[in-house]
Amino acid sequence: MKFGPIEFRHLRYFTAVVESKSFRAAAQRLHVSQPPLTRQVQQLEELLGVSLLERQPRGVELTAAGAVFYEEARNLLALAEQAIDRTQMAAQGQLGRLDIGVFGSAVFDAIPRVIQAFRLAYPKVDIVLHNLDRAGQIRALRERRLTVGFNRFFVEEVGLLWDVVLHEQLNVAVHEAHPFAKREQLNFDDLADQPLIVYPRTSRPSFIDQVLSMFHSRHLTPQIVQEVDDVVTAIALVSSGFGLTLASDSALTLRLPGVVYVPLEATEAQIDLCMIRRADDESALLRAFIDVVHAVLPPRG
Amino acid sequence: MKFGPIEFRHLRYFTAVVESKSFRAAAQRLHVSQPPLTRQVQQLEELLGVSLLERQPRGVELTAAGAVFYEEARNLLALAEQAIDRTQMAAQGQLGRLDIGVFGSAVFDAIPRVIQAFRLAYPKVDIVLHNLDRAGQIRALRERRLTVGFNRFFVEEVGLLWDVVLHEQLNVAVHEAHPFAKREQLNFDDLADQPLIVYPRTSRPSFIDQVLSMFHSRHLTPQIVQEVDDVVTAIALVSSGFGLTLASDSALTLRLPGVVYVPLEATEAQIDLCMIRRADDESALLRAFIDVVHAVLPPRG
DNA sequence: CGTTGCGATACCCGAGCGGTATCGTTCCGC
DNA sequence: GCGGAACGATACCGCTCGGGTATCGCAACG
């Protein structure tokens, strides 16, 4: 006489009986015989302490409470189906939340392209962008607040993996009044005695360090006239005739009045865009995102 | 190796494991041993075709899909609780919908008082009022579109029950300029040769039929100057000096300019308010409503 | 007034749930 | 570095309980 808690079986049986208005018909629909159905519904009524059906010779009729419970049961069964669907979607990486760390000039071109493509392929995934420098990204990754990070020049970090996802050329941003503005291409020697604006210094090694090493390998010493925090400020200074600066291809979408971009000689004048992630993150969502990144960004930049 | 469909047991076990971050601790919480827990969670994962937990030496960790399913499971369990609550409330008449048929002057006083009291006692019951004459109420009751109806003078109807819930006195509505307006009380003899406005004729026998029978039993013949559809119109005509009319106590709240109500002699000058319902309706909701009606309306009107 | 179709009941069988005992692994302290 | 402790997984068993067949009691219908 003692029953356990309510189970989905009770709901399935009860709703079938209600919809068939008959135990026998419902039994047929459920591919069971009639007596178990009777028993389960009786149990359900006893568990609830409520009479749900009025048994009549011509079939069954819902009581007022039965009508309420029927609606609830239908709802629960539908939600259970949804729960399964959603879970399976999540397992395939089609549902969930992706926290992406971004920084620097890549946010102007490469990142938006990746995100747009990913949104299209996985519309039910929430994407949250976090503006973090490299150190911040690494910390956030370790603390699981981030799924992936995009940055330049990752050093090896235990527990983290990084891939180069894009090679970009360097460009020189000059004011249109500057003689370089007419040139098809420039090289490092051209820049040696030019007033250079450099960025950013937030976490070493950084963009600027790689640029400086390119000068050093050519035994050149650039004339640094100003240090700034970010690309936008640097280009703004170029726009106002302060000097020259270097920018990756991604920054080319950043158009300010009077600023002209001239490609730098190709040899070694490359800057990488890297993606960093946890080594132990084997989620389908991250896998799917990585695939999109490689599909969107040119296999060889 | 073949499992049936998902049951609430799977959800209860899984959520317990997640919340305890441990199979053993969850087993203790659930008052079962650890192996069945392991098995049920394994079954759940197989049923979903999804890995929900990462078993680690220090306990268990949710996968991304597991986190999604956990939220869904919590939600389902909470909704199941609510479903039980709501069903039990419905069984006690505390939840549901009450369709009430109303007609005539009772809507001005008695009905609003009843409904206000019922709303207070059973706030989660939806009350829907339907303006239907007696024939319409009887049809709607038979077709289950109505739970109760209020009207005057019910004849016996098979399958329906009626109770007198209120006795009201009759009053004469006269214009203040009329000599009767000064009287403390009136009787039928006074009215015999007065211009009388009568209402309504919608479904016989009706209010007017009872009034007329009161005249006849006294061998009097009233002077009917106008027939109208409803009380409000009748009183409006009184207000414009058209004649006199009779109105129950409920209509006294209906105050129009120049209209004065004078009580009619008490003997036999009573009018009933009746409540009609299905004989086979044993719902707790109806029972509760009837109780409220008898509590609100004076046991002897 | 028998027939028919309904849900309820009685009884049986076996799947499956929960129990105990134990294993394999990892992490910890000595 | 090694034994012990703690974790989840596995093996196996007993018994509950869900589902089966057969049948009952009852009301409606021709």
Side-chain angles (χ1 to χ4, degrees):
Chain A
M1 236 25 163
K2 197 191 143 257
F3 303 120
I6 288 183
E7 294 295 346
F8 273 115
R9 183 186 50 255
H10 295 120
L11 308 189
R12 282 190 297 271
Y13 284 11
F14 173 67
T15 53
V17 169
V18 171
E19 283 157 18
S20 306
K21 298 193 211 308
S22 151
F23 278 74
R24 290 188 121 88
Q28 223 166 340
R29 215 183 86 179
L30 293 168
H31 303 111
V32 296
S33 61
Q34 169 257 320
L37 249 180
T38 294
R39 195 150 42 117
Q40 293 298 324
V41 174
Q42 282 175 341
Q43 271 190 30
L44 178 60
E45 289 179 309
E46 195 154 336
L47 286 167
L48 293 172
V50 168
S51 175
L52 300 174
L53 295 173
E54 278 177 16
R55 279 75 165 176
Q56 283 162 349
R58 277 216 94 46
V60 292
E61 200 77 19
L62 275 174
T63 64
V68 170
F69 189 73
Y70 172 70
E71 293 303 322
E72 301 283 342
R74 291 277 301 178
N75 190 31
L76 280 168
L77 290 169
L79 287 176
E81 285 297 318
Q82 276 190 30
I84 295 171
D85 283 351
R86 289 173 55 85
T87 305
Q88 288 171 346
M89 287 181 67
Q92 292 163 28
Q94 293 172 15
L95 181 79
R97 171 178 165 148
L98 201 56
D99 290 274
I100 305 174
V102 295
F103 191 65
S105 56
V107 300
F108 298 115
D109 184 49
I111 305 284
R113 270 158 52 212
V114 167
I115 288 172
Q116 209 166 351
F118 189 79
R119 276 230 151 85
L120 201 66
Y122 298 87
K124 299 204 174 165
V125 175
D126 287 332
I127 298 173
V128 184
L129 294 183
H130 302 264
N131 215 306
L132 292 167
D133 65 15
R134 178 160 31 76
Q137 288 184 16
I138 289 170
R139 203 178 325 118
L141 277 166
R142 291 241 164 83
E143 292 168 3
R144 314 239 156 181
R145 297 179 354 247
L146 220 56
T147 315
V148 281
F150 287 97
N151 216 307
R152 314 264 179 199
F153 324 116
F154 285 112
V155 295
E156 283 293 344
E157 289 278 345
V158 289
L160 301 181
L161 295 179
W162 62 276
D163 303 292
V164 177
V165 293
L166 185 64
H167 298 286
E168 292 186 297
Q169 296 298 317
L170 275 183
N171 301 273
V172 183
V174 295
H175 194 272
E176 57 189 359
H178 192 286
F180 284 0
K182 303 283 186 296
R183 298 273 293 272
E184 288 282 323
Q185 196 178 33
L186 292 166
N187 57 45
F188 278 98
D189 295 321
D190 294 325
L191 300 176
D193 48 4
Q194 289 290 328
L196 204 62
I197 304 159
V198 298
Y199 62 94
R201 283 276 177 187
T202 51
S203 52
R204 322 271 317 240
S206 173
F207 180 77
I208 182 59
D209 295 299
Q210 182 158 341
V211 170
L212 292 180
S213 76
M214 291 178 187
F215 277 97
H216 289 140
S217 67
R218 283 167 179 76
H219 307 291
L220 300 169
T221 306
Q223 308 295 318
I224 296 175
V225 293
Q226 185 67 47
E227 284 192 10
V228 296
D229 270 354
D230 62 295
V231 210
V232 183
T233 313
I235 306 286
L237 290 183
V238 173
S239 172
S240 56
F242 223 78
L244 284 61
T245 193
L246 292 168
S248 70
D249 288 338
S250 283
L252 297 188
T253 54
L254 203 60
R255 314 227 49 109
L256 267 71
V259 177
V260 173
Y261 296 97
V262 181
L264 200 60
E265 54 165 354
T267 320
E268 268 194 65
Q270 283 195 342
I271 208 89
D272 298 334
L273 179 64
C274 298
M275 182 172 64
I276 190 164
R277 62 183 199 267
R278 275 192 304 280
D280 65 353
D281 188 342
E282 294 171 356
S283 72
L285 191 47
L286 175 56
R287 171 56 40 204
F289 182 73
I290 292 171
D291 290 345
V292 169
V293 167
H294 287 129
V296 169
L297 300 182
R300 237 219 43 80
Chain B
M1 235 27 164
K2 194 192 145 256
F3 304 120
I6 288 182
E7 294 295 347
F8 273 115
R9 186 183 50 255
H10 295 120
L11 308 189
R12 282 190 295 271
Y13 284 12
F14 173 67
T15 53
V17 170
V18 171
E19 283 156 18
S20 306
K21 298 192 209 311
S22 150
F23 278 75
R24 290 186 120 89
Q28 224 166 341
R29 215 182 85 180
L30 293 169
H31 305 110
V32 295
S33 62
Q34 169 257 319
L37 250 179
T38 295
R39 196 152 39 117
Q40 292 299 325
V41 174
Q42 283 176 341
Q43 271 190 30
L44 178 59
E45 289 179 309
E46 195 155 334
L47 285 168
L48 293 172
V50 168
S51 175
L52 300 174
L53 296 172
E54 278 176 16
R55 279 75 167 175
Q56 284 162 349
R58 277 218 95 43
V60 292
E61 199 78 18
L62 275 174
T63 64
V68 169
F69 189 74
Y70 173 69
E71 293 303 322
E72 301 283 341
R74 291 278 301 177
N75 190 31
L76 280 168
L77 290 170
L79 287 176
E81 285 297 317
Q82 277 190 30
I84 294 171
D85 284 350
R86 289 172 57 83
T87 305
Q88 288 171 346
M89 287 182 67
Q92 292 164 29
Q94 293 174 15
L95 183 77
R97 171 177 167 148
L98 201 55
D99 291 274
I100 305 174
V102 295
F103 191 64
S105 55
V107 300
F108 297 116
D109 184 49
I111 305 284
R113 272 158 51 213
V114 167
I115 287 172
Q116 209 166 354
F118 189 80
R119 276 233 151 84
L120 201 66
Y122 298 86
K124 298 203 174 165
V125 175
D126 287 332
I127 296 174
V128 183
L129 294 183
H130 303 264
N131 215 304
L132 291 168
D133 64 16
R134 178 162 29 76
Q137 288 184 15
I138 289 170
R139 203 178 325 118
L141 277 166
R142 291 238 164 85
E143 292 168 2
R144 313 239 158 180
R145 296 178 356 245
L146 220 56
T147 314
V148 282
F150 286 98
N151 216 307
R152 313 267 179 196
F153 323 116
F154 284 111
V155 294
E156 283 292 344
E157 289 276 346
V158 289
L160 300 182
L161 295 178
W162 61 277
D163 302 295
V164 177
V165 292
L166 186 62
H167 298 287
E168 290 186 298
Q169 297 297 318
L170 274 182
N171 303 272
V172 182
V174 296
H175 194 272
E176 57 188 0
H178 193 282
F180 284 179
K182 302 283 185 295
R183 299 272 294 272
E184 289 281 323
Q185 197 179 30
L186 291 167
N187 57 44
F188 278 97
D189 295 321
D190 295 326
L191 300 177
D193 48 5
Q194 290 289 329
L196 204 63
I197 303 159
V198 298
Y199 61 93
R201 284 275 178 187
T202 49
S203 51
R204 322 269 320 239
S206 174
F207 180 78
I208 181 58
D209 296 299
Q210 183 158 341
V211 170
L212 291 181
S213 75
M214 291 178 188
F215 277 99
H216 288 142
S217 67
R218 284 167 179 77
H219 308 290
L220 300 170
T221 306
Q223 308 296 316
I224 298 175
V225 293
Q226 184 67 47
E227 285 191 9
V228 297
D229 270 354
D230 63 296
V231 210
V232 183
T233 313
I235 306 286
L237 288 183
V238 172
S239 173
S240 56
F242 223 79
L244 284 62
T245 193
L246 292 169
S248 70
D249 287 340
S250 283
L252 298 188
T253 54
L254 203 58
R255 315 228 48 110
L256 265 71
V259 176
V260 172
Y261 295 98
V262 181
L264 201 58
E265 54 165 355
T267 322
E268 266 194 67
Q270 284 195 340
I271 207 88
D272 298 335
L273 178 64
C274 298
M275 183 171 63
I276 190 166
R277 62 183 199 268
R278 274 192 305 280
D280 65 352
D281 188 341
E282 294 171 356
S283 73
L285 191 47
L286 176 55
R287 170 57 39 206
F289 182 73
I290 292 171
D291 291 344
V292 168
V293 167
H294 288 128
V296 169
L297 299 182
R300 238 219 43 81

